[in-house]
Amino acid sequence: MGKAKNPPKQASNESRAVLRMYRSSPQKLNLLAQQIRGLPVQKAMDEMKFSRKRAAQDVYKTLYSAMSNAENNHGLDIDSLVVAEAHVGKNLVMKRIRARARGRAARIMKPFSQLTIVLRDTSVEAEAA
């Protein structure tokens, strides 16, 4: 068979979760990513829980997933986790057509995006220093 896939390149004090193919524009999703960047995990989760934006619920789920990965897969302390990175990338764009006057057509772009959340354990950094 083929060679085993390389593990994701991340530090031992980090965990991540990726939300792929999310049906929202990267611009809208980035507004939420900016809100949680650099915050402690509990504060970031509260921000998302009480946000009025539609995407906030899915960002909350991704944040929760990253937190669970930190606890179960990497054995990190969830109380000392901080959102180290929260970045948004473009994904597929569905193209649709809207009929206009005189037989013309207008393009409708329906973008998808991808959100990556990386959590870092700050207590490990304190011990290392």
Side-chain angles (χ1 to χ4, degrees):
M1 295 282 167
K3 210 165 74 170
K5 192 176 175 185
N6 290 338
K9 290 157 183 64
Q10 61 189 26
S12 59
N13 65 333
E14 285 182 353
S15 78
R16 70 192 303 175
V18 182
L19 173 64
R20 290 194 170 90
M21 290 298 286
Y22 183 64
R23 179 61 191 86
S24 172
S25 77
Q27 195 173 8
K28 290 178 182 177
L29 200 55
N30 194 40
L31 292 171
L32 292 168
Q34 284 174 348
Q35 282 185 342
I36 63 172
R37 216 171 275 144
L39 291 180
V41 166
Q42 204 51 55
K43 180 117 175 66
M45 291 183 84
D46 290 343
E47 285 274 338
M48 290 301 104
K49 189 167 254 178
F50 297 108
S51 174
R52 296 181 58 194
K53 295 198 173 286
R54 178 181 69 92
Q57 188 178 4
D58 295 301
V59 174
Y60 177 87
K61 286 180 188 176
T62 309
L63 201 52
Y64 188 83
S65 175
M67 190 178 76
S68 298
N69 290 342
E71 190 177 16
N72 297 316
N73 303 348
H74 304 286
L76 301 175
D77 177 27
I78 59 172
D79 296 325
S80 58
L81 290 176
V82 171
V83 180
E85 291 175 37
H87 55 90
V88 177
K90 292 181 179 179
N91 212 316
L92 178 92
V93 177
M94 289 194 305
K95 292 157 187 95
R96 299 293 180 260
I97 290 176
R98 179 180 176 87
R100 303 303 299 225
R102 298 179 176 207
R104 294 192 172 106
R107 225 26 171 346
I108 296 176
M109 307 297 234
K110 298 193 171 198
F112 284 73
S113 48
Q114 173 172 316
L115 171 70
T116 306
I117 294 178
V118 177
L119 302 181
R120 191 171 290 136
D121 190 349
T122 52
S123 64
V124 176
E125 288 175 10
E127 290 169 14

